[in-house]
Amino acid sequence: MSSGGPGNQPSGSPRKVGPTATARRRVETDNRPFNSNSNDEEDNPNGYTPTSGSHHHIHHHHHPVIRYLLIRRKWVPETWVIWIEDAYLQTVAMAQSLRSGRHLGRKIMWVLMFMVVVSLFLKVSFLGSPAEEVKEPGRRENGLLKLQTFKEDGAMAQRAVTEARTETDTDLHSMPKRVLEKVDIPEIWRKPNSDNYYQCASRPRNLIRAKKTNGYILVHANGGLNQMRTGICDMVAVAKIMNATLVLPYLDHESFWTDPSEFKDIFDWRHFVNVLKDDIEIVEYVPPKYAAVKPLLKAPVSWSKASYYRREMLPLLKKHKVIKFTHTDSRLANNGLAASIQRLRCRANYEALRYAKEIEDLGKILVDRLRSNNEPYIALHLRYEKDMLAFTGCNHNLTALEAEELRVMRYKTQHWKEKEIDSKEKRLQGGCPMSPREAALFLKAMGYPSTTPIYIVAGKIYGSNSMAAFRAEYPNVFSHSDLATEEELEPFKPYQNRLAALDYIVALESDVFVYTYDGNMAKAVQGHRRFEGFRKSINPDRQNIVRLIDQLDEGMISREEFSSEIKRLHSDRLGAPHLRQPGESPRLEESFYANPLPGCICNRSQEKIISLKYDQRQSLRDSVKR
């Protein structure tokens, strides 16, 4: 769901700037194991390119003092450096000639005069240079890496690493390792360790798309934006399984938001078709030959295996040639599918389903504005919205009138099966979305300072005074309504799914993502962040959090005890790599889109173990043959 509702913009907040976006910057100490390409600059740790024809530009031939001067060349003219080196070489020659004993007094006098001149020069150069500030940490000029002397400021130190890292992959490899070691990133912003993991979702080269199709699949993607997104990815995989042609999906216009947007309005459809062209055929419309054919309507069984589509759906497709799936949500199993199918789902989700250009562009602008003060930010998926509270039956911190309004809405919505709900009991069981006050107490206990910029990823927060407690702790609260100008937001206002797409981009690029309830957006964003290198994503333990908050309110524990226990409980809930959790039923197991490991993320350590075991078995076979 999209976030909405204008809010006051506090002092010290990101300023509204023009629509030109700067390059995206992510706050991670990411060694980027997901890109293991070799680099030609690995043998040149200073990142300096020698100029042909001048031996003075080859660093490893210089004396250490000369190399230092070359690095500080912003303040030392190159001609001076060359002069100093020449003088140094002459001095060495004179020193060697002293052994001869001829004109000894004159030579000693020249050596002393040279040392005085060099001393004065170095004093002026080294002591005077800090007056000129390096404005961009980690910036390269003429191949030289300029480093800023950082203050003891975690956010600034972190930004410096990011600036240097995101220039190019070449910069990362050529950057001296000591620079990364000296910059200390605060633990609250540090992403989990994922050094041994890498993306492995590419299409197998030997997998060729069949030339002849068995028929055409029409799909009606149902639900909100993120439910439709994952459903479309499943339908891409189903088309592959059935060797069918996929028609561009129809989007749901009858959900809670009644958004009339079509696929082309939200996604870059040409990019979608092009990325998947070697996997399946995708067309805009059913060809004229079958345009008059009435599609067979089917609702596939939820969490089905590939065998279901081959045995039950494929014969129907071959017979009718055109079939329409009326539902796409969770119609494919999380586990038990071929590796090629799992990887195809990821290519569809993380590569093919790119948002339309105007959505992507504005999303990047919002991210840049959040980072305008060189500070990391949190994206908080706060599901304290009217429809969610009515559905779950939760009314903690609301007035009696507001609670009654939610109850009426629940009874009026026919497809919501559960009607009588004990709100208090459900909250204690961890079944309610966290309230804004609970979310603020949680973030404070985790160590995030009050100055942290927080982007609310949600629709309108329900309750007349719900956000007051949150803003009291964290005044720098933003939504797309605060960060975008009226003119920028105007084309998006009537379309909630397009606003939700903006929120998705900001959440994906955030330094920390926190979700207060397990909805479709929480699953989609955390899975995407795992695929992009396990960016920090916090999953609050709601049941224990509300228990501890109640104890804090009753004076049973202190703030310090509360914070200590919260940190202990969440030390392993920060988005670190783990294998997708199975369950007693598909409904209870971890979603493939919330955690594409295994499937689209691979572990080098496990591969080494498997390779070693294979080599051992092969050696054993060879010894037996002998």
Side-chain angles (χ1 to χ4, degrees):
M1 297 187 181
S2 63
S3 59
N8 295 329
Q9 186 165 333
S11 59
S13 61
R15 293 180 299 160
K16 294 181 180 178
V17 296
T20 302
T22 57
R24 259 192 265 190
R25 295 169 291 178
R26 298 174 185 153
V27 180
E28 317 166 21
T29 54
D30 190 355
N31 290 334
R32 207 58 181 171
F34 290 74
N35 186 350
S36 57
N37 296 336
S38 61
N39 196 294
D40 292 335
E41 291 191 21
E42 288 179 347
D43 295 329
N44 185 10
N46 292 321
Y48 182 80
T49 305
T51 304
S52 59
S54 176
H55 75 279
H56 296 293
H57 290 180
I58 304 176
H59 284 205
H60 61 271
H61 288 171
H62 291 302
H63 187 272
V65 172
I66 306 305
R67 288 203 301 269
Y68 181 79
L69 291 173
L70 279 172
I71 293 176
R72 299 180 66 91
R73 201 168 66 187
K74 181 171 181 179
W75 305 287
V76 182
E78 185 174 2
T79 55
W80 289 25
V81 175
I82 295 172
W83 179 85
I84 292 171
E85 184 171 18
D86 289 338
Y88 167 76
L89 294 173
Q90 292 176 15
T91 303
V92 171
M94 284 192 294
Q96 291 174 346
S97 69
L98 287 177
R99 300 175 182 176
S100 65
R102 292 181 296 176
H103 307 292
L104 183 61
R106 184 182 301 173
K107 292 174 181 177
I108 291 175
M109 182 183 70
W110 278 108
V111 170
L112 292 175
M113 289 178 64
F114 173 77
M115 291 176 63
V116 170
V117 172
V118 171
S119 298
L120 289 173
F121 170 79
L122 294 177
K123 182 176 181 180
V124 172
S125 174
F126 294 171
L127 295 182
S129 59
E132 186 170 352
E133 181 184 358
V134 180
K135 294 183 179 179
E136 296 185 38
R139 182 181 176 185
R140 290 181 175 273
E141 288 186 11
N142 300 324
L144 292 177
L145 180 66
K146 293 182 181 179
L147 303 178
Q148 178 180 353
T149 303
F150 299 107
K151 297 180 287 184
E152 293 299 317
D153 184 302
M156 286 298 293
Q158 187 176 8
R159 185 65 54 213
V161 174
T162 306
E163 290 280 1
R165 180 181 61 78
T166 56
E167 287 286 339
T168 60
D169 289 338
T170 300
D171 286 349
L172 177 60
H173 288 293
S174 62
M175 187 174 173
K177 292 183 178 179
R178 61 180 179 276
V179 176
L180 295 177
E181 293 171 354
K182 287 181 180 178
V183 180
D184 183 28
I185 297 174
E187 181 65 30
I188 57 174
W189 300 112
R190 200 175 301 161
K191 81 179 194 70
N193 180 32
S194 59
D195 291 345
N196 289 324
Y197 294 86
Y198 65 98
Q199 293 176 359
C200 53
S202 58
R203 185 177 63 87
R205 294 181 180 179
N206 60 350
L207 200 63
I208 302 173
R209 193 187 92 187
K211 294 182 178 179
K212 187 177 180 181
T213 182
N214 288 320
Y216 294 84
I217 296 178
L218 301 170
V219 298
H220 176 262
N222 60 300
L225 174 68
N226 295 287
Q227 184 171 310
M228 290 191 291
R229 181 186 178 108
T230 55
I232 290 168
C233 297
D234 281 353
M235 292 300 105
V236 167
V238 167
K240 182 69 175 179
I241 293 168
M242 297 173 62
N243 187 26
T245 298
L246 180 67
V247 180
L248 279 183
Y250 297 98
L251 302 189
D252 192 344
H253 300 155
E254 299 176 0
S255 63
F256 179 78
W257 297 112
T258 61
D259 187 330
S261 298
E262 298 293 350
F263 186 90
K264 293 181 179 180
D265 297 322
I266 296 177
F267 299 104
D268 183 341
W269 72 276
R270 288 187 176 86
H271 179 77
F272 178 71
V273 172
N274 186 59
V275 168
L276 298 173
K277 66 182 180 183
D278 294 325
D279 296 295
I280 63 169
E281 182 184 22
I282 303 175
V283 296
E284 289 187 68
Y285 310 102
V286 174
K289 181 180 179 181
Y290 298 106
V293 175
K294 185 178 180 180
L296 176 68
L297 303 182
K298 295 294 291 184
V301 175
S302 298
W303 293 296
S304 294
K305 298 289 181 69
S307 58
Y308 165 80
Y309 288 97
R310 291 195 185 100
R311 294 172 185 172
E312 299 191 33
M313 293 293 108
L314 183 55
L316 294 174
L317 178 66
K318 288 181 175 180
K319 178 181 178 181
H320 295 272
K321 291 302 179 183
V322 182
I323 191 170
K324 181 177 181 179
F325 291 140
T326 58
H327 291 75
T328 61
D329 59 313
S330 305
R331 304 294 150 162
L332 198 57
N334 291 307
N335 304 300
L337 298 174
S340 61
I341 295 299
Q342 296 289 53
R343 294 183 179 191
L344 175 57
R345 294 166 94 181
C346 287
R347 289 198 300 281
N349 196 14
Y350 307 132
E351 296 178 29
L353 281 179
R354 185 173 69 188
Y355 292 118
K357 185 178 184 302
E358 58 271 20
I359 296 175
E360 288 279 342
D361 289 347
L362 185 54
K364 292 174 184 177
I365 289 172
L366 300 187
V367 171
D368 287 340
R369 289 176 184 171
L370 276 167
R371 290 199 173 120
S372 62
N373 293 329
N374 284 329
E375 290 182 299
Y377 73 91
I378 291 174
L380 177 64
H381 189 37
L382 191 60
R383 290 305 311 274
Y384 211 69
E385 302 152 306
K386 185 176 182 179
D387 63 323
M388 179 54 64
L389 294 175
F391 173 73
T392 57
C394 300
N395 54 35
H396 185 67
N397 285 350
L398 297 176
T399 65
L401 187 61
E402 290 166 343
E404 176 61 18
E405 186 179 13
L406 296 176
R407 190 189 70 81
V408 170
M409 181 181 180
R410 183 166 65 255
Y411 273 87
K412 283 185 176 180
T413 308
Q414 295 181 0
H415 62 275
W416 291 351
K417 297 178 181 180
E418 194 174 9
K419 302 299 182 182
E420 283 296 326
I421 301 174
D422 186 335
S423 175
K424 183 177 180 181
E425 183 63 26
K426 191 159 189 176
R427 174 178 174 270
L428 293 176
Q429 292 173 353
C432 288
M434 292 170 65
S435 69
R437 176 178 180 267
E438 290 168 345
L441 289 172
F442 170 72
L443 292 177
K444 204 73 174 177
M446 289 292 289
Y448 292 99
S450 297
T451 55
T452 302
I454 296 178
Y455 184 89
I456 301 297
V457 183
K460 185 178 180 180
I461 302 303
Y462 186 70
S464 57
N465 205 33
S466 294
M467 285 298 292
F470 190 91
R471 291 182 184 276
E473 291 286 355
Y474 293 97
N476 294 329
V477 180
F478 306 97
S479 69
H480 53 241
S481 301
D482 305 312
L483 294 172
T485 65
E486 285 291 328
E487 293 76 17
E488 291 169 338
L489 212 55
E490 189 62 33
F492 299 86
K493 278 186 176 179
Y495 309 105
Q496 293 299 323
N497 284 329
R498 300 184 206 182
L499 292 173
L502 285 177
D503 285 350
Y504 185 100
I505 293 171
V506 179
L508 177 63
E509 295 301 321
S510 65
D511 302 293
V512 174
F513 175 60
V514 182
Y515 53 99
T516 61
Y517 195 73
D518 300 315
N520 291 306
M521 187 169 204
K523 291 183 174 69
V525 172
Q526 66 174 298
H528 201 158
R529 289 171 67 85
R530 283 190 166 103
F531 185 76
E532 290 294 337
F534 295 93
R535 302 176 188 172
K536 194 165 193 173
S537 302
I538 303 177
N539 174 19
D541 182 348
R542 294 189 302 275
Q543 185 172 10
N544 278 311
I545 287 172
V546 297
R547 173 181 60 82
L548 290 169
I549 287 176
D550 289 346
Q551 291 179 3
L552 179 66
D553 290 341
E554 293 168 7
M556 297 173 61
I557 57 175
S558 65
R559 281 267 184 173
E560 291 74 19
E561 291 170 326
F562 174 74
S563 179
S564 177
E565 185 64 8
I566 288 290
K567 289 176 181 176
R568 184 189 67 80
L569 287 170
H570 291 83
S571 60
D572 61 348
R573 302 175 71 95
L574 306 176
H578 71 267
L579 296 177
R580 193 165 51 255
Q581 298 297 311
E584 296 179 0
S585 66
R587 186 181 294 275
L588 298 177
E589 65 188 8
E590 190 174 16
S591 166
F592 173 80
Y593 294 107
N595 183 12
L597 170 65
C600 306
I601 301 172
C602 296
N603 187 341
R604 289 190 181 90
S605 298
Q606 289 182 352
E607 290 175 352
K608 290 178 181 177
I609 294 172
I610 293 172
S611 178
L612 182 61
K613 288 182 178 179
Y614 175 82
D615 291 342
Q616 290 173 345
R617 287 197 298 268
Q618 191 65 37
S619 299
L620 184 60
R621 290 194 190 108
D622 293 342
S623 62
V624 170
K625 289 179 181 179
R626 295 193 195 101

